[in-house]
Amino acid sequence: MKTAGGFYRNNPMAGMPCAAVLAPLLTASSPQVIVARMSPFFESPAYLEAVARLEYALVRRDRVAVLTGPLGSGKSTLLDKWTSKLRREGSIVPYLQTPGTFEQDFLWELAIQLKADVGLATTPPELWFQIRERLTTYALEERPVVIVVDHVEEMAPETADLLLTLARLHCGATTGGSLILSVDSVNLRSFDVRLLKMADLKIELEAWSCEDVARFTQTYQDAFPDSRLTLDDAAIQAVSQHSEGLPRVISQILDLSRLAVEASDSQSVTPETVEAIREELL
């Protein structure tokens, strides 16, 4: 990963901050850390459409629904916001954001979120028994259960077997449960074909259009009224082009642009600035 200081150090006339300004903000995994802390949330049309389709899957009591999209398209953000909403409405929503590599990790996390009576020493068979007991209890109480698993492509094959069993026994119209799986589109071909065949619905989270970027830019500027960040139509088009419409990258570009503007005498972001920042993020 490059640091944003490289371009500015080698181009002192660019009117942008040097490494000393951005280095403390760009740590090992960095630009993402900045985005998570600083960028406002934006309900894009793509986000609203995906949420509507997820809600439709629950109304139909679909057994399995798959949410897919490129890395950085906002799948995890969508699931985080959506699962919080479902919980406020009374649903039981285990949300496994980083599936365990091993069977016991996955079972333990799922059991804990289902409020099962388990501990660190509970064996996999005991975990599985407790999970099934809780799911059966919720079904009898007619409480909807939505099991959400993000980054499914990271799971081990034995964990995929567990998901298949969950879907077959505890999801669908007869039980009221649903299994929502999220996977990067580049990994969809290597995704477990058995789970794909069980999916009643596949939802593609689309990239933002240039108009979406313009609306998010306004939302961003409203969130930081004291900032001098200004983007004209050309700069917005550059953000859209260099980010490929991916919300994570758009946020990174705007975050770094704002820091750059605040640390310089410039009051606007140019397409050249956007291009330089994007190159440094690659």
Side-chain angles (χ1 to χ4, degrees):
M1 172 73 71
K2 297 181 182 179
T3 64
F7 170 80
Y8 309 121
R9 186 169 51 248
N10 297 327
N11 296 269
M13 300 305 293
M16 304 292 285
C18 63
V21 175
L22 293 180
L25 299 164
L26 296 176
T27 55
S29 52
S30 67
Q32 221 167 318
V33 174
I34 297 175
V35 172
R37 186 174 64 252
M38 300 174 69
S39 294
F41 174 66
F42 175 63
E43 288 189 346
S44 68
Y47 171 93
L48 294 174
E49 173 65 21
V51 167
R53 298 188 69 187
L54 286 169
E55 298 281 2
Y56 180 59
L58 298 189
V59 170
R60 293 195 312 184
R61 295 189 175 183
D62 285 353
R63 186 163 49 180
V64 179
V66 175
L67 175 67
T68 185
L71 182 67
S73 60
K75 298 184 297 299
S76 295
T77 298
L78 182 153
L79 291 175
D80 181 63
K81 300 287 184 182
W82 184 59
T83 54
S84 296
K85 171 180 174 290
L86 292 178
R87 287 169 181 154
R88 290 194 299 269
E89 295 171 348
S91 296
I92 307 299
V93 191
Y95 178 20
L96 292 92
Q97 296 173 286
T98 51
T101 303
F102 302 105
E103 175 184 5
Q104 184 166 356
D105 299 327
F106 181 86
L107 288 173
W108 187 81
E109 180 63 27
L110 179 57
I112 289 295
Q113 294 199 39
L114 287 171
K115 304 185 185 304
D117 184 17
V118 298
L120 291 175
T122 309
T123 65
E126 292 171 333
L127 287 168
W128 185 233
F129 175 80
Q130 290 293 335
I131 288 169
R132 296 181 66 172
E133 286 290 297
R134 295 305 296 161
L135 290 172
T136 300
T137 298
Y138 289 135
L140 291 173
E141 294 174 351
E142 297 184 349
R143 298 189 66 183
V145 177
V146 185
I147 301 173
V148 179
V149 187
D150 200 0
H151 304 296
V152 176
E153 67 274 3
E154 298 177 7
M155 293 193 312
E158 58 267 24
T159 310
D161 292 339
L162 293 174
L163 290 179
L164 282 166
T165 303
L166 281 171
R168 287 168 177 160
L169 298 180
H170 298 285
C171 297
T174 57
T175 63
S178 293
L179 183 63
I180 309 296
L181 307 177
S182 173
V183 58
D184 288 335
S185 53
V186 294
N187 295 304
L188 196 57
R189 290 186 178 181
S190 59
F191 188 56
D192 195 300
V193 67
R194 299 169 300 172
L195 286 168
L196 272 181
K197 287 181 177 179
M198 292 184 68
D200 301 291
L201 185 65
K202 189 182 82 169
I203 303 163
E204 178 78 23
L205 187 55
E206 297 180 356
W208 290 359
S209 67
C210 190
E211 290 75 16
D212 296 333
V213 175
R215 285 193 288 269
F216 174 68
T217 300
Q218 185 59 57
T219 299
Y220 190 99
Q221 291 169 326
D222 293 342
F224 300 100
D226 297 331
S227 174
R228 297 175 297 165
L229 181 67
T230 302
L231 289 85
D232 59 16
D233 290 343
I236 289 173
Q237 289 179 359
V239 173
S240 180
Q241 174 187 348
H242 291 294
S243 67
E244 298 181 348
L246 297 177
R248 182 185 300 174
V249 181
I250 293 166
S251 294
Q252 289 173 349
I253 291 174
L254 292 185
D255 286 338
L256 293 178
S257 296
R258 180 169 63 85
L259 294 172
V261 167
E262 291 176 352
S264 71
D265 294 329
S266 175
Q267 294 188 5
S268 62
V269 177
T270 66
E272 291 75 21
T273 300
V274 173
E275 182 178 0
I277 289 176
R278 178 55 179 150
E279 287 179 356
E280 293 292 338
L281 289 173
L282 292 176

